Structures are given as C-alpha cells and as structure tokens.
Amino acid sequence: MKTVSPKGVSEREPVRWAPIEKSASDRADANLTDYDLSRREFSWDAARLDLDGLPGGGVNIAHEAVDRHLGTPLADAIALRWLGATGARVDLTYAELAALSNRFANLLRDLGVRRGERVCLLLGRTPELYVAMLGAWKAGCVVSPLFSAFGPEPVRRRLEISGATTLVTTVEMYRRKVAPNRDALPVLRHVLVTDAGIDDAPVADTIELSLAMAAAEPDFTIVPTTAEDPALLHFISGTTGRPKGAVHVHGAVLAHRVTARYALDLRAGDIFWCTADPGWVTGMSYGVIAPLSLGATVISDEAEFDAQRWYRTLTRQKVTVWYTAPTALRMLMRRGDELPEGTDLSRLRFISSVGEPLNPEVVVWSQRVFGRPAHDNWWQTETGAIMISNLAAAQVRPGSMGRPLPGIEATILRRGADGRAAIVDNAVEPTGVDEVGELALRAGWPSMFRGYLNEPVRYAQAFADGWYLSGDLARRDADGYYWFVGRADDVINSAGHLVGPFEVESALMAHQAVAEVGVIGTPDPVAGELVKAFVQLEPGYAGTPDLHDELLAFGRRQLGAVAPKQIVFTEGLPHTRSGKVMRRLLKARELGLP
C-alpha cells in the first residue's frame, strides 16, 4: 500500500499554491504585454477597424474567417488539417476552404434555402462540418451545431425549437436519430448526408452531399449581412426543462478575434488545436471562427480522447497553442509526470483550458511537466467569447480564472437569500474585496448573445441595471483576479457558511490518493446542509477506514469550517459528455430521486 500524503507537500502543512511567474522572454513575446495599459486604451470601436468587412459594407463570419485571406500569402496556407480516427489526413488551404464553402452556399441557394433560415449540423469532427458551416454563413443562414452524441429525443427537440429547414448529418445518425421523428418535423425540408448509404443505396428523403456539391459552382457572392444579423444558435442544455437557444450575431467575430489574440495568445501561422467538440460553443467560437480569422492552422482530430494519441498529435503536428478541458488534463495528469517516449513539446507555446474550473493542482502539474502552466479562463455560451482569463505575459495564480480582458467590465454583485444578485428597484450593488457574490458583466460586448430564441422574458431576466447576470458565484481579490466559487444553484449552505463545491473538490484533489471528487450538500436538521464528498481514488489506493479518516483530517486542515463532514469512496463519478462532474445527479441519487 502506498504512503498517504498530500501531493508535493508535507503531510501536516496546508497546501498553498504559489503564483507562477512568467519569464522575461515570455512576457516580451506575448500578444498582450501590458495589461493595465491595454485595458485603459482599448475600445471596441477601434478594434472594429481590424475587421475586413464585406465589399460594400457589412460583416459576415465566413468572410472574416476564410475569404479575407484570399489574395494574401495565407491563401495557400493550411487552414484545416483533419486527422481521421484510423489514420487518414485531409489538408485544406484557405483557398480550397473558400471554394468548397462557396459550393455549399450555392447548393443551399439552389435548394431554395434563404437568408435567415436555420441550418442544423449534426456531425462529429469531419471536413464537411467546416465546409457546411462556412457555406451556410455565406448564404446568410443561421448555423446551429448539435452535439453528435445526443440521442433521438434531444435532437428532435432542438430541430423543432430551432425551426431548422435544413440538416446536415451522416447516414447512420439520420437513420437512428432523425428518421423515426421526421414526420414530427414538418419544417425540415432538406437533409444532406455526408456519406453514401449501405451498399451505396440512396437513403430516402435525403440528398447525398458530395454529389450535390460536385454539381454546384465554386464561385459565390456572399449574401450581405450586417453585424447584427443572426449567425449562430447555440443550445444550452439544462438539467430540467426546455433547452435554451442562445442567438449570436455576425458581429461576434470581432470578439472571437480579439479574445483569441489576447486570452489564447493566438496569431497567424500558429498550429492550433482546440479539443472541444464542435457541437458546443467552444468548438465553434475557438475551434473554427477565431483561429481561421487570425490565419492559424486548425487541427481537427476525429478520434476520442486517448493519452498516447494526444501526446503524439501534439508532437507530430508541432502544436503551438493548445486549448483543451480540465477533465482531459486531469486524465493526463493521472498518467504521471513521465511523458511517452518520443514526445516533443518544444513548439508548444501556450496551454489554455475551458469547460469547467481548472483545479490549481493541474496548473502546477502542467508547469512542472510541460514547462508551461495551463491557463484557466471563464466564459459562457451566452457571452460567446472569453471574458476573464489568465494571460501569457501575466502571473498565473493557480485556481484563479484570471482577470477581465480589455473591453470587458466585470464585477461581483451582492447576493440575496437565493444566492443570486440582489436586485432592488432594478439596481444592483457591487461587493467588496474577497466577498462572494454573483459574477456580472457590463452589457454591450460584440459577442454578447442577443436573445433566447422565442423567449424574450427569459432573456430580460438575465440582465439588471445594465449588467448581464451570469448565475455563477465568484469573488475578486485585491489585485483584480477572479476566483470561481460555483453556480448559484450548486452552492451549499452549511450552518450559515456558503460553500462552493469546486473549492472543496480542489482542496481534496491536492491529496495524492485522490483522482477526482464530486461535492454536494445533503439535508441536515441542524446545519441545513452538510458537505459530502464522493471521492474516486488513484490506482493503487484502497478506500480503507484509515484513508477515510486521513482525508477528513486533510480537508479540515485545508478548509476549516467548510470542510466535508462526510466522505464516500466511489469507483467512478457521473460526467456530462463534456467531462463535467454531474453534481445534480449525485444529489438526486443521494436523495433517492429518479
């Protein structure tokens, strides 16, 4: 049995995560070198001059992502490198991507699909995904990406809510997830499939995409769109109720470019790998729009997570900027500090993480193993782009989300009894230093969502006194760094203490026996709620009574009064498809709910 002690520290000494300082060369080489000066001087009006714009005026995401590079040296550079799960590879230059997306736009026009109609994409990471979304934007349509792992019912609901007239998918996904409900989708006129049917037999009521595009013209004049024309419809999955459709506009591309340049330190010529699924907002904003608009090469890997493959991809593709998820980094960390033989990360300049808060231990591990810290950042589907971030030239404080980007005004608002911002006469009040409250943003940045589809009341409730209310609880330290506490509806109220599950989870993960943690509140007649932790152990450790008591004591040393009172060992935790621990499912199981 292994000796039990905190990772990298004395057994009795509380874990204190020291700030990570950047070298002089890293600071000098970064896109944003002077944070305070940039915040003072930045304006969205001035940044807007960096957009290329459509001939005759207007803004279109596809033009900014691809066509703006035609006639420049980037036209023949690799825009997309697709890595197939079984070893195939497809390279598309910016010029080739422009021509293919023109063909798709012409195909939509020939089918009678018009400006403003919704085009849903039910695809994994395939070259057709990028071609279809760019072509749909050129045709003036609204693109709605759907997560390819959804079952038939979530797909049906999103097709129905969106009012999509066109769907692009595979034969297999169409047959399993759409065809059984096709009669319930009268608005859906066209289904384009990206592969042939079994034995090359046509699939009823579908159009084979490759044949249709081959007959379409490679030249297309982009439908004039303005900065405020809808371009994207992102569905937000709730644990209960109807999915929300967040509407984003073509002008959001400005925020995608600016934030990728500042928060991800991205630039033309970079080899950029965003591992997020294209069915979610990260995979769209930073897996497609931002890197292409800046002239980077996008790596798109069809395969699912595999540690050996990921290290091999980072090495062989000479990735310079890597945007991934905390879950993936934790899974890599569990393999230890020794990298596979042949791994070469010398080209890797910047590592960033998104999807859920990044545990401080992972940040420190990344610095130790990769020679670069993983940089946490914060944003939501509604914000459309990164709002708060740790920066390439700035000190990283492990566990912190970072500081607001230039052009973004953030604050922490005092909360009411429900944990949300207290609103009195439609006015709100900021908190003091290190006081927990609701994270809010001053409305008006370019990628701010413009509505929840067909839900104006719900949209209005997301704002107060000129602030967007995020629903996330956080605190701000004296130096302006923001620290995530939890969702307002996840926070545990234990004997008057408001406990953020993430804080407890991160503290317990500092123990070398702990691989992953899920924390919830359980009912208690005296304290209201007790903090309960479900702990998955690292390989080689057993959930003995001694280890149970050790972890309780370890938690008390780290957290004091808000430490977990109950610890349960588990062989696995429930996760969402994007890798987040499903605390609500843990709580439902605890309460015996279905």
Side-chain angles (χ1 to χ4, degrees), residues 260-301:
R261 186 181 288 128
Y262 287 162
L264 304 181
D265 202 44
L266 194 60
R267 59 199 71 166
D270 269 326
I271 308 298
F272 177 68
W273 188 21
C274 174
T275 64
D277 190 279
W280 303 113
V281 66
T282 301
M284 189 64 67
S285 293
Y286 296 101
V288 183
I289 301 170
L292 292 180
S293 73
L294 290 173
T297 293
V298 171
I299 300 297
S300 178
D301 188 358

Side-chain angles (χ1 to χ4, degrees), residues 307-309 311-312 315 335 337-344:
Q308 290 279 359
R309 181 184 177 97
Y311 281 129
R312 189 164 60 246
T315 298
R335 291 177 52 89
D337 290 6
E338 187 173 344
L339 300 179
E341 184 178 356
T343 301
D344 179 2

Side-chain angles (χ1 to χ4, degrees), residues 13 57 67 69 77 82 113 124 199 218-219 236 261 310 313 357 363 404 437 468 481 515 529 532 561 589 592:
E13 184 178 325
D67 289 27
H69 303 305
W82 176 77
V113 179
D199 297 327
D219 297 314
I236 306 166
R261 186 181 288 128
W310 276 35
T313 297
V363 178
Y468 164 66
Y481 281 75
E529 287 184 293
K532 184 170 186 175
R589 291 176 180 174

Side-chain angles (χ1 to χ4, degrees), residues 502-586:
F502 172 68
E503 182 180 14
V504 180
E505 291 163 359
S506 291
L508 290 179
M509 278 191 62
H511 197 288
Q512 75 174 35
V514 177
E516 193 168 29
V517 186
V519 168
I520 63 170
T522 61
D524 181 78
V526 177
E529 287 184 293
L530 292 179
V531 179
K532 184 170 186 175
F534 295 82
V535 174
Q536 181 179 347
L537 297 174
E538 293 278 9
Y541 291 93
T544 63
D546 285 345
L547 179 54
H548 175 272
D549 294 345
E550 168 67 23
L551 288 177
L552 282 175
F554 182 74
R556 287 194 295 270
R557 289 196 299 272
Q558 306 306 311
L559 298 162
V562 301
K565 300 299 188 292
Q566 300 173 321
I567 289 178
V568 174
F569 295 117
T570 179
E571 294 188 2
L573 292 166
H575 294 87
T576 66
R577 290 283 186 176
S578 59
K580 299 178 184 178
V581 173
M582 298 175 70
R583 299 189 188 104
R584 294 185 184 183
L585 183 54
L586 287 174

Side-chain angles (χ1 to χ4, degrees), residues 133-194:
M133 70 177 69
L134 291 165
W137 284 323
K138 287 183 174 184
C141 297
V142 179
V143 172
S144 184
L146 304 181
F147 186 37
S148 60
F150 276 146
E153 181 57 20
V155 169
R156 183 197 65 77
R157 295 192 73 189
R158 285 155 178 78
L159 288 170
E160 182 181 57
I161 294 169
S162 69
T165 63
T166 305
L167 171 68
V168 186
T169 188
T170 66
V171 169
E172 189 267 341
M173 281 195 271
Y174 174 71
R175 285 177 166 159
R176 284 199 303 112
K177 305 181 181 188
V178 181
N181 296 317
R182 184 73 183 265
D183 291 343
L185 300 167
V187 178
L188 184 63
R189 304 196 307 268
H190 312 292
V191 175
L192 306 173
V193 292
T194 60

